[in-house]
Amino acid sequence: LRTDKLRGDRARARASHVYNIGAYAADVDIYGRAVLAPLEASASTAEPVVKVYSVHCSVNVAMPWSNKPQEESTGSGFTMRQQHDGQLVILTNAHCVADATYVEVRKAGDSQKHVAQVARIAHECDLATLTVSDDAFWEGVEPLEFGPMPSLQDEVSVVGYPEGGEGVSVTQGVVSRIEIQRYAHSGANLLAVQIDAAINPGNSGGPALNADGDVIGVAFQNQLDSQNIGYVIPAPIIAHYLVDDAPSDPRRPAGFPSLGIFWQALDNPQLRAYLGMEGRTGVRIRGVAPTAPAAALLRTGDVLVELDGHAIANDGSFAIGGQERLSFAHLIHLKFAHQTIGLRVLRAGEELELEVPVRPLQRLIPPTAYDEPLPYFIYAGLVFVPFVEPYLHEWGDDWQQDAPHELVQLVLSGAQSEAAEQPVLLSRVLPSPQTAGYLTLADRRVLSVNGERVLNLRQMHALVQRLQAECDHLAFEVQCVGGPAVIAIDTSTAEQEAKAILETYRIPAAASPDLCGQSEI
């Protein structure tokens, strides 16, 4: 972010030993360094990298009528110009402003903070766009430009505001790896660039710049238990985010599409011979998600040999250069919702060319629960919530070992059987005369009510309302090892106890606002 002229000015100042502040106050600072022109004008212009201040408050996933304590955090961001309307905005990480109730930004060298609004956010790829309504903030701001995809060993500089100080920080390194990585904020597996420049807390959202000063990525996470291994979100992912639109909500992109297949590597020559590969390479499709459009075109046992014109290797990779390979999933990620992708598959010894629709697919257990209140409803002291992965995070960093095994397996290997499916949990059993003996059955999946399958929370709420009027008892089946347990509630007393339970436990309503349109028990 420094021009050659300014570097030359500083070099000449050092060479001349210009430390007479009284004589050279207009040209140098108190240390004899050449003063940057923007600062001479009282910060009338400013660096495009800003510090982001966020106050956020996340929902309590086990008791969604309440929030967790308010927290404050800082991150980084940079100004850019939107191509579709020319508006200046700030690009940062989604995790910097997730669950934010108040956001401020501050320019480099400026003491004033300005209120910002989250205009667009995508937790899947950990990116967010901020706007500032105060015109004074944008005076003198020059946006950064995006550069090309870097190559291995390219030099990069990461600019941001890491913890430990208020000023801007610059760290340098080189590109050491380009591949699909797990994004810690969302659990999504998307393209990332690994660099050996330090990315510390507070750097998140800052730009990674090439030698020409162009943005090649956004800093967003580092490698735990290692030194100087950081990751940046590369330009192809950023470009997808900037132009991707969800018709139902302009603040959120539709997301990165999926083919919806489960595949097996074909490294073993015996398996390739069994499948009749005859010199071909590819991967075997071992399953197709029922909710994916590909389910109507692909079959278990098909061998995927080519995708979008790229030959697929036996390990599921494709070549992008002389020394680089990527997972074929990246080719799908470059598409947009409801586009098609060309496939060449081997089926029963015959090659077929197919055009297969792709679209974002929902996981059985959503990996995040940001920015929106979590729905819930309470029936006779039983608290029901939709199952989201953060629910298990309440068991701590080792939730995969410490949380209930049946719930962990749903997160790790569960798949939707139909589009609207999302398991419902019995998160709490509030002690009362009606719930005596049921307290140990909390934190379990609800399978059915009076023998009718539970598909999701909204469907279950409507089911309970209907059965409440029709039946003497409601029998909730909850998942347990060896077979489901049953919780029976007398419908004639459920409504009488409801008000007392809400008052006793200081719960504002028996159901979340999105369910309040239906009658409550």
Side-chain angles (χ1 to χ4, degrees):
L1 299 178
R2 300 291 188 272
T3 65
D4 292 339
K5 179 181 183 302
L6 291 173
R7 285 195 291 267
D9 291 342
R10 285 175 165 171
R12 285 190 292 273
R14 288 194 296 270
S16 301
H17 301 285
V18 183
Y19 294 113
N20 186 335
I21 305 305
Y24 296 94
D27 301 317
V28 299
D29 63 15
I30 62 172
Y31 305 110
R33 301 177 301 185
V35 176
L36 297 177
L39 297 183
E40 290 180 352
S42 301
S44 61
T45 61
E47 303 279 9
V49 182
V50 303
K51 188 168 186 176
V52 179
Y53 301 81
S54 178
V55 178
H56 47 94
C57 189
S58 58
V59 68
N60 186 330
V61 291
M63 296 181 290
W65 56 87
S66 62
N67 290 328
K68 293 182 178 179
Q70 178 177 292
E71 297 180 357
E72 298 181 12
S73 65
T74 63
S76 305
F78 63 93
T79 58
M80 55 158 284
R81 190 180 299 278
Q82 296 185 138
Q83 290 187 353
H84 67 281
D85 60 5
Q87 181 184 3
L88 287 175
V89 296
I90 297 169
L91 189 65
T92 186
N93 282 144
H95 73 257
C96 292
V97 292
D99 293 318
T101 57
Y102 188 67
V103 179
E104 291 179 312
V105 294
R106 179 176 61 79
K107 295 184 291 187
D110 192 356
S111 61
Q112 182 179 358
K113 298 177 183 178
H114 299 262
V115 177
Q117 297 80 34
V118 179
R120 183 178 175 87
I121 191 164
H123 294 288
E124 181 183 17
C125 61
D126 200 2
L127 290 170
T129 303
L130 309 180
T131 58
V132 178
S133 58
D134 186 357
D135 293 338
F137 173 82
W138 299 108
E139 292 180 2
V141 172
E142 290 293 331
L144 290 175
E145 300 290 339
F146 287 95
M149 187 72 177
S151 300
L152 296 178
Q153 294 302 308
D154 280 359
E155 293 185 356
V156 295
S157 299
V158 177
V159 186
Y161 296 83
E163 294 179 354
E166 288 296 318
V168 69
S169 169
V170 181
T171 57
Q172 296 180 323
V174 299
V175 174
S176 54
R177 185 178 294 164
I178 302 174
E179 64 181 12
I180 303 292
Q181 293 283 349
R182 183 180 184 275
Y183 283 37
H185 179 63
S186 66
N189 294 302
L190 298 170
L191 187 67
V193 173
Q194 179 181 312
I195 61 176
D196 63 3
I199 296 179
N200 298 308
N203 268 128
S204 293
L209 308 176
N210 61 17
D212 296 325
D214 294 329
V215 178
I216 57 93
V218 177
F220 76 113
Q221 64 187 37
N222 58 20
Q223 180 69 48
L224 297 177
D225 303 322
S226 64
Q227 292 184 344
N228 291 349
I229 296 181
Y231 296 95
V232 301
I233 303 170
I237 302 299
I238 300 171
H240 193 286
Y241 159 78
L242 292 176
V243 300
D244 186 21
D245 286 319
S248 60
D249 186 356
R251 293 184 69 251
R252 297 181 185 274
F256 292 82
S258 170
L259 194 56
I261 64 172
F262 305 92
W263 57 274
Q264 176 186 1
L266 296 179
D267 296 315
N268 191 289
Q270 300 170 96
L271 181 55
R272 293 199 299 272
Y274 170 75
L275 295 172
M277 299 286 287
E278 298 179 353
R280 302 180 183 90
T281 62
V283 295
R284 176 181 176 271
I285 297 174
R286 58 182 178 83
V288 184
T291 59
L297 298 169
L298 299 177
R299 301 177 186 173
T300 299
D302 286 349
V303 177
L304 177 61
V305 298
E306 189 176 291
L307 184 67
D308 207 26
H310 297 268
I312 305 302
N314 294 322
D315 63 352
S317 66
F318 71 99
I320 59 170
Q323 297 180 332
E324 295 177 75
R325 303 189 70 86
L326 284 177
S327 167
F328 72 82
H330 180 59
L331 294 173
I332 304 169
H333 295 157
L334 295 178
K335 300 291 183 178
F336 293 89
H338 306 299
Q339 287 186 335
T340 62
I341 191 167
L343 277 67
R344 186 187 295 272
V345 300
L346 181 66
R347 179 181 296 169
E350 179 183 359
E351 281 196 359
L352 303 176
E353 292 188 1
L354 304 172
E355 286 291 327
V356 180
V358 294
R359 65 177 177 84
L361 297 179
Q362 300 299 318
R363 289 170 50 178
L364 178 65
I365 311 300
T368 61
Y370 298 117
D371 300 331
E372 302 290 342
L374 199 67
Y376 73 93
F377 78 90
I378 302 171
Y379 180 83
L382 307 177
V383 180
F384 299 103
V385 299
F387 189 8
V388 292
E389 185 178 318
Y391 187 92
L392 298 187
H393 297 172
E394 298 299 308
W395 274 264
D397 292 338
D398 294 327
W399 61 266
Q400 294 190 25
Q401 287 74 41
D402 298 336
H405 177 72
E406 298 87 352
L407 302 185
V408 172
Q409 286 302 112
L410 279 177
V411 169
L412 298 181
S413 58
Q416 284 185 325
S417 59
E418 53 184 290
E421 183 179 12
Q422 183 182 358
V424 175
L425 298 183
L426 173 60
S427 69
R428 291 287 184 272
V429 179
L430 304 175
S432 73
Q434 280 193 312
T435 59
Y438 296 149
L439 300 185
T440 59
L441 297 178
D443 299 318
R444 300 182 189 273
R445 180 184 183 181
V446 183
L447 302 176
S448 67
V449 183
N450 282 19
E452 297 191 37
R453 179 192 174 208
V454 170
L455 181 65
N456 55 52
L457 188 73
R458 180 170 291 276
Q459 174 261 355
M460 179 184 172
H461 185 258
L463 178 61
V464 167
Q465 302 308 310
R466 174 171 61 83
L467 295 176
Q468 163 72 19
E470 298 175 355
C471 305
D472 295 333
H473 290 81
L474 295 192
F476 300 88
E477 282 193 335
V478 295
Q479 186 177 24
C480 295
V481 176
V486 176
I487 297 175
I489 298 294
D490 188 338
T491 58
S492 65
T493 59
E495 190 170 359
Q496 299 173 4
E497 294 289 333
K499 185 176 181 180
I501 289 174
L502 296 180
E503 291 178 353
T504 299
Y505 294 97
R506 301 175 183 175
I507 300 172
S512 55
D514 62 315
L515 298 178
C516 282
Q518 307 173 45
S519 58
E520 301 174 2
I521 297 298

